Amino acid sequence: MNRLIIVGSPRVDGRSAHLADLLFETCIEECPDDEVALAPVSTLDIGPCTGCDACRALVAKRVDAMIAAGSEAEAGELPSRCVIDDDMAEVYELLDAADELIVVAPVYFAGPPSQLTALLDRLQPYFWTDARREAKRPATLHVIGEGGDPHGFDPLVGIVRSALSCAGFGLGRVLDWVGKIDEHGEIVAEAVEYPVPALPGAARAGKVSAGLAERDGCAVEPEQDIGLPANIVKPKFSLSQENAKVRQPVGNESASQKSGGAASLGSGPGRKGGNAAGRSGGSARKGSSSRKGAAPGNKGGKRRG
């Protein structure tokens, strides 16, 4: 199984980075035969979607090339999906290979940071494929925050859920870490499972889809048409409180020192050069682009995701 962990915080060494590190290590410890990759937006060069719509034609060319090449098609030989030349090209490949997706995201004014929004918006090429209509691969969202905002994070859940659905992932689980990780990355309380709300337009969309299907003389299951799989498989590995307590406040020590002798996996997301595909160490891949100075939100304020 291939797992991808997207770290949606602009902070290289914030709460989200520390939790993602722990999830990465937990994946390796509990599922040693699986592949796991880490993609932190804090060190990836991902520009915003410009709405040019060029991906529609590019995806069509890519599909034609895949059909022509058959099973021998190599990802690097296929046409790109987007005219923007940046690290998102490698994120696409990681997403394509992922059997399970984990997103660690801080809450900024009830929604995602702009850096994570850029990545999610760049999933638009998948809209021109059948990914959103096919059986969904499982996705889990870990929500991070210092706490104190009475507006919650439903917009964050909705945005992530919508974008991932377009790319072929079903958000089956949301874990609330708000107020449960301190500024040093220490877990001080267990996450609470946040109920994934029903889609606001699900009932209406289902009726409309059924109506169009009847008009066209074909049978369509509404939940398939709107991307609502009946049985989303939850991730196999779990982050128990026992595992969480292994994590110590992070300074400059190595991963093995932080985990009390666990196998060293590097110094964490974004702390080593490379790219999204990144470093490969057996079944583990930790990736990032080069660090580009202080990330937004490093000074003062309440944004410590």
Side-chain angles (χ1 to χ4, degrees):
M1 175 177 284
N2 290 336
R3 291 186 175 88
L4 171 62
I5 302 174
I6 293 175
V7 192
S9 174
R11 293 168 54 85
V12 174
D13 200 33
R15 291 176 171 85
S16 298
H18 289 297
L19 180 63
D21 243 358
L22 181 56
L23 290 169
F24 184 86
E25 294 164 6
T26 302
C27 283
I28 294 172
E29 291 169 3
E30 297 191 6
C31 307
D33 296 328
D34 293 350
E35 292 267 342
V36 55
L38 194 65
V41 300
S42 60
T43 56
L44 293 172
D45 178 21
I46 298 177
C49 176
T50 62
C52 67
D53 217 21
C55 56
R56 184 172 190 173
L58 289 173
V59 167
K61 291 180 180 178
R62 187 180 179 89
V63 171
D64 289 342
M66 291 176 68
I67 294 174
S71 59
E72 298 179 358
E74 293 290 337
E77 300 174 355
L78 296 173
S80 64
R81 303 168 215 252
C82 181
V83 294
I84 303 174
D85 184 15
D86 59 13
D87 290 338
M88 192 63 196
E90 294 180 73
V91 175
Y92 289 138
E93 301 304 330
L94 292 174
L95 286 167
D96 289 346
D99 300 303
E100 182 179 304
L101 179 63
I102 300 164
V103 179
V104 181
V107 185
Y108 280 19
F109 295 119
S114 60
Q115 292 82 355
L116 177 57
T117 299
L119 185 153
L120 296 174
D121 286 349
R122 293 283 297 281
L123 298 181
Q124 178 64 21
Y126 290 106
F127 182 82
W128 307 115
T129 71
D130 291 327
R132 68 186 189 280
R133 296 188 177 92
E134 295 175 350
K136 296 290 190 283
R137 291 166 285 170
T140 300
L141 171 64
H142 293 263
V143 181
I144 315 297
E146 186 171 348
D149 186 349
H151 298 94
F153 50 79
D154 279 347
L156 169 63
V157 174
I159 291 168
V160 170
R161 184 183 193 181
S162 175
L164 296 188
S165 178
C166 184
F169 292 91
L171 185 62
R173 198 176 185 202
V174 176
L175 294 175
D176 178 5
W177 290 96
V178 176
K180 299 173 177 65
I181 303 175
D182 68 19
E183 60 184 0
H184 303 294
E186 178 81 5
I187 293 176
V188 297
E190 291 188 57
V192 176
E193 186 147 357
Y194 187 81
V196 180
L199 292 177
R204 179 180 177 277
K207 291 178 182 178
V208 171
S209 299
L212 291 174
E214 183 177 353
R215 184 194 66 186
D216 294 337
C218 60
V220 176
E221 292 292 334
E223 57 269 23
Q224 291 180 343
D225 187 67
I226 58 176
L228 292 177
N231 53 344
I232 295 176
V233 180
K234 292 185 178 181
K236 292 182 179 179
F237 85 96
S238 62
L239 179 61
S240 65
Q241 183 66 1
E242 180 181 354
N243 287 327
K245 288 180 179 177
V246 171
R247 190 69 175 189
Q248 300 297 323
V250 178
N252 295 320
E253 69 270 33
S254 67
S256 61
Q257 291 172 316
K258 289 184 285 185
S259 60
S264 176
L265 301 172
S267 55
R271 301 182 188 99
K272 288 194 175 182
N275 48 36
R279 167 180 172 270
S280 178
S283 61
R285 291 192 293 174
K286 275 188 147 180
S288 67
S289 61
S290 58
R291 183 172 179 175
K292 300 182 179 179
N298 281 356
K299 295 183 179 180
K302 293 289 186 181
R303 294 183 175 181
R304 297 186 180 274

